[in-house]
Amino acid sequence: MAKQELKQMINRVTIQGTIMDNNIEVKVDSKGRRYLSGPVEVKVDNDYIVPVDTFAYELKSDGTKNGLYERLVKVIDYPSARTVGIAQAPKITISNARVEDNSFYSERDDRVVNNWRISGAFMRLAANDAKNINEFEVEGIIASIKEVTGRDGEPTDTYQLKLFNVGFGEKVNELTFTFDDPEAIKYINENYGIGDKVTLCGQIVYDQVERTVEKELGFGEPVKQTYTNTIRLLRITAGTEPTPADESGIALKDLQTVVVTQNKMIKERAEARNQSAAAKSTTTA
């Protein structure tokens, strides 16, 4: 039987807000090819500062100019709150961005750690009074739904939904979403099933949470240490009615097979880089 073609699914992110930092820069790779990369950090409602990553080669594989590069190179000169202050920082609109799988291999844990990032290329300055926008719309096949438990195993009334989204070139994005709204909890747990096809809408959460720990000493006042943790979530605020697994036209097991292959490649590339670095270190020692 011929391999089923995986069609690209909906994956749209729109961010509009104040430019807090702009780290896009032009670089040159090991083969001498010019490219640009780096994040633009945008402040939206709730004081969330969302980084949007960029990447584009100057030339396409056939040697012609890359339109994405030409568009993004203009963004390099956009000022930010870091360079001109928050009062003078302009607003930016980032449309047709996407949530991408950004999993990596942890040598310490000997496993691939699932992660995500926001990536985009369509950016333009917005009016100073433009409202803030922070929204995503992602289609995919449900791989799992589970409640998040605390350190002691107690329920938290927060749930996670893992979704497989097919991206460009048949890459499968393994994305974990969070939902804690009572209405969402009720609807999803009663209507969504493993293998169903759904489209989820929501907002990207980037929040800083401080935690203070006191260390008791032999005498005197305890020493206080403050730690800052970054909370990153894809929070669901709405979702479509599900298309049952037997009607979705794509099997969950096929996507799981792709994810296993992708994770194997991530591990192999990481190990190859480590071996190369070790060989160079030995040579120069």
Side-chain angles (χ1 to χ4, degrees):
M1 181 181 294
K3 177 179 176 294
Q4 181 184 12
E5 179 183 359
L6 298 180
K7 295 183 179 180
Q8 190 170 352
M9 297 177 175
I10 296 170
N11 188 339
R12 285 191 291 263
V13 175
T14 302
I15 298 293
Q16 185 166 274
T18 303
I19 304 177
M20 300 301 290
D21 206 352
N22 181 356
N23 292 293
I24 302 179
E25 57 183 337
V26 176
K27 304 174 184 178
V28 180
D29 70 10
S30 59
K31 296 181 180 180
R33 297 178 297 179
R34 286 167 59 88
Y35 69 97
L36 55 75
S37 67
V40 174
E41 298 182 359
V42 184
K43 184 177 181 179
V44 294
D45 288 343
N46 300 310
D47 289 334
Y48 298 157
I49 298 178
V50 180
V52 179
D53 287 305
T54 62
F55 183 89
Y57 274 109
E58 180 181 25
L59 302 177
K60 297 180 181 179
S61 57
D62 61 3
T64 59
K65 291 184 178 181
N66 183 353
L68 290 181
Y69 181 94
E70 296 294 320
R71 180 181 295 110
L72 283 172
V73 78
K74 299 176 183 177
V75 181
I76 292 178
D77 296 326
Y78 287 2
S80 67
R82 181 176 62 84
T83 59
V84 299
I86 186 67
Q88 299 299 318
K91 285 202 166 186
I92 191 172
T93 301
I94 303 175
S95 57
N96 289 318
R98 57 197 175 277
V99 187
E100 290 185 335
D101 189 302
N102 192 34
S103 298
F104 61 92
Y105 173 67
S106 170
E107 186 175 11
R108 183 188 65 181
D109 300 327
D110 188 28
R111 68 184 182 90
V112 173
V113 179
N114 183 233
N115 198 11
W116 55 267
R117 66 182 176 190
I118 307 300
S119 181
F122 298 93
M123 304 183 182
R124 59 180 175 82
L125 292 178
N128 290 334
D129 60 352
K131 69 174 184 178
N132 291 337
I133 300 175
N134 171 17
E135 58 189 28
F136 65 74
E137 181 183 8
V138 182
E139 177 187 37
I141 303 297
I142 298 175
S144 66
I145 301 173
K146 64 179 182 180
E147 184 173 13
V148 179
T149 56
R151 293 183 178 180
D152 298 327
E154 71 277 9
T156 62
D157 293 327
T158 297
Y159 290 76
Q160 291 183 335
L161 185 156
K162 181 176 289 187
L163 197 74
F164 288 155
N165 166 270
V166 180
F168 179 75
E170 297 191 340
K171 176 183 177 179
V172 176
N173 296 302
E174 182 182 358
L175 307 172
T176 299
F177 298 81
T178 299
F179 58 102
D180 53 13
D181 177 76
E183 183 180 354
I185 291 173
K186 184 176 188 299
Y187 186 88
I188 290 174
N189 286 334
E190 291 181 357
N191 295 279
Y192 284 9
I194 307 304
D196 289 353
K197 184 177 182 180
V198 298
T199 299
L200 303 175
C201 301
Q203 66 171 197
I204 299 152
V205 175
Y206 262 87
D207 201 8
Q208 301 286 331
V209 177
E210 290 189 349
R211 178 172 59 93
T212 300
V213 177
E214 291 190 356
K215 182 179 180 181
E216 296 291 340
L217 304 178
F219 65 93
E221 294 294 324
V223 175
K224 294 182 179 181
Q225 290 182 312
T226 300
Y227 301 90
T228 300
N229 296 325
T230 299
I231 307 298
R232 302 168 66 253
L233 300 173
L234 298 171
R235 175 172 288 156
I236 300 171
T237 58
T240 62
E241 293 184 359
T243 299
D246 57 356
E247 299 177 14
S248 67
I250 184 167
L252 174 61
K253 62 181 179 60
D254 291 340
L255 302 183
Q256 290 171 327
T257 299
V258 175
V259 169
V260 169
T261 300
Q262 289 176 173
N263 289 345
K264 181 180 178 181
M265 292 176 62
I266 291 172
K267 180 178 180 179
E268 290 175 347
R269 285 197 296 266
E271 291 176 337
R273 285 194 299 269
N274 292 340
Q275 291 173 2
S276 177
K280 289 180 180 179
S281 177
T282 302
T283 302
T284 56

